Amino acid sequence: MTPAHKAAAELLYTSRRTRDKVFGADREGFGEPGWDMLLALAAFGPMVAVNLFHRAAGPNPGTYLNWLISRELVALTERDTVEIAERGRALLVQYLDHEMPAKP
């Protein structure tokens, strides 16, 4: 993942957190905790502590973490950290390439 990919992931993640702050209690239904977890990992990784990773998901983070692991998008390491798996990295790079503005 290039620095531009990390910057794009951080921008997307930060934008989603801003949306949550602005809408407050009305943000119910804007879900996608698994996506938030993957963006957080891409933006702030390559590895993050499990507790930080869980904060990106909100309630019931274990459910989303298990889902991401089962899809081989993230992996647990031996030191209570989470890292993006090769499959997750490849898919996220493909998505971010599509979302990033083309350079002139």
Side-chain angles (χ1 to χ4, degrees), residues 47-104:
M47 285 192 260
V48 297
V50 170
N51 63 351
L52 175 66
F53 193 66
H54 280 181
R55 276 187 260 153
N60 304 316
T63 300
Y64 303 107
L65 178 58
N66 290 337
W67 184 86
L68 290 168
I69 290 169
S70 73
R71 279 19 174 226
E72 298 179 353
L73 299 174
V74 302
L76 284 173
T77 68
E78 66 279 354
R79 293 180 299 275
D80 291 329
T81 57
V82 180
E83 65 183 353
I84 194 163
E86 188 54 43
R87 181 172 184 271
R89 181 178 292 105
L91 291 170
L92 194 53
V93 164
Q94 181 180 353
Y95 173 80
L96 293 171
D97 283 343
H98 182 268
E99 290 299 307
M100 292 188 314
K103 297 193 180 187

Side-chain angles (χ1 to χ4, degrees), residues 4 12 22 31 33 36 57 59 85 87 95:
L12 287 168
V22 169
D36 287 336
R87 181 172 184 271
Y95 173 80

Side-chain angles (χ1 to χ4, degrees), residues 15-30:
S15 174
R16 291 171 68 87
R17 299 297 64 80
T18 300
R19 181 198 64 191
D20 288 349
K21 287 177 188 171
V22 169
F23 281 87
D26 295 322
R27 72 182 186 275
E28 289 292 319
F30 287 157

